């Protein structure tokens, strides 16, 4: 892929020369700590505030669960409201994943339409405590690896 450009939303962000080569961004990324889903969650924001990559903190019409990996609903609420919802309304939001095939939203859409994060902090904490989500199938394997930055312990 020599000379290929990485494009996001029609904008050229970087160029790379071969598989495995580092990606050099043409724009700066601001790192915003956005803990709550996990203590280490971050949101990456383009320096012109046109796009934010929110990981699992803010999903489209949802947010990351807070019932494992040292998650905290109150912390997540404040992270989203203070670090993400303070961005311009037309800032594009790219979450880490979506269970319904959606890939992008905007800050304004999530500020006004996100069913959990339009609640008060106290209401949000109550909702999150009552989700009763099933235990993820790979949680006993994934969480220890996540706590060691993805390094897996070899089977003994």
């Amino acid at each position: 892929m020599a000379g290929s450009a990485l494009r996001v939303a029609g904008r050229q962000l970087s160029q790379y020369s071969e598989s495995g080569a580092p990606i050099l961004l043409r724009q700066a990324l601001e790192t915003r700590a956005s803990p709550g889903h996990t203590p280490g969650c971050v949101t990456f924001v383009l320096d012109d505030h046109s796009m934010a990559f929110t990981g699992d903190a803010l999903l489209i019409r949802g947010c990351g669960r807070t019932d494992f990996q040292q998650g905290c609903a109150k912390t997540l609420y404040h992270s989203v409201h203070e670090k993400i919802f303070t961005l311009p309304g037309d800032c594009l939001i790219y979450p880490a994943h979506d269970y319904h095939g959606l890939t992008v939203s905007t800050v304004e859409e999530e500020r006004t339409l996100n069913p959990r994060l339009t609640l008060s902090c106290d209401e949000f904490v109550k909702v999150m405590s009552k989700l009763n989500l099933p235990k993820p199938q790979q949680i006993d394997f994934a969480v220890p690896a996540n706590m060691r930055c993805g390094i897996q312990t070899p089977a003994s």
Side-chain angles (χ1 to χ4, degrees):
M1 301 192 85
S4 297
L6 174 65
R7 299 185 73 78
V8 176
R11 298 173 68 175
Q12 181 176 323
L13 295 180
S14 67
Q15 281 193 307
Y16 55 93
S17 58
E18 60 186 70
S19 178
I23 296 173
L24 303 173
L25 296 175
R26 295 186 186 271
Q27 282 188 263
L29 281 176
E30 175 187 339
T31 304
R32 294 184 177 200
S34 48
H37 171 62
T38 69
C41 283
V42 295
T43 294
F44 297 103
V45 181
L46 287 185
D47 61 354
D48 65 1
H49 293 177
S50 64
M51 295 180 205
F53 304 90
T54 60
D56 285 340
L58 177 61
L59 305 175
I60 298 173
R61 309 300 187 268
C63 60
R65 60 193 292 174
T66 58
D67 58 331
F68 64 89
Q69 295 192 111
Q70 302 170 331
C72 175
K74 185 175 181 179
T75 300
L76 179 59
Y77 183 91
H78 288 292
S79 289
V80 171
H81 280 264
E82 295 167 13
K83 304 292 179 80
I84 301 171
F85 283 178
T86 55
L87 291 164
D90 62 351
C91 176
L92 299 175
I93 298 294
Y94 291 93
H97 58 88
D98 181 82
Y99 297 111
H100 306 289
L102 303 172
T103 58
V104 65
S105 184
T106 66
V107 167
E108 187 60 26
E109 286 179 25
E110 296 309 314
R111 269 192 217 133
T112 59
L113 300 175
N114 191 303
R116 295 181 191 163
L117 290 159
T118 54
L119 302 171
S120 71
C121 183
D122 288 340
E123 292 171 319
F124 176 79
V125 170
K126 286 178 191 171
V127 165
M128 295 302 284
S129 72
K130 295 178 182 177
L131 287 179
N132 296 319
L133 297 170
K135 183 179 176 181
Q137 293 178 352
Q138 298 292 320
I139 194 70
D140 294 329
F141 176 75
V143 169
N146 286 350
M147 298 300 288
R148 294 185 306 277
C149 296
I151 299 170
Q152 300 171 15
T153 303
S156 48

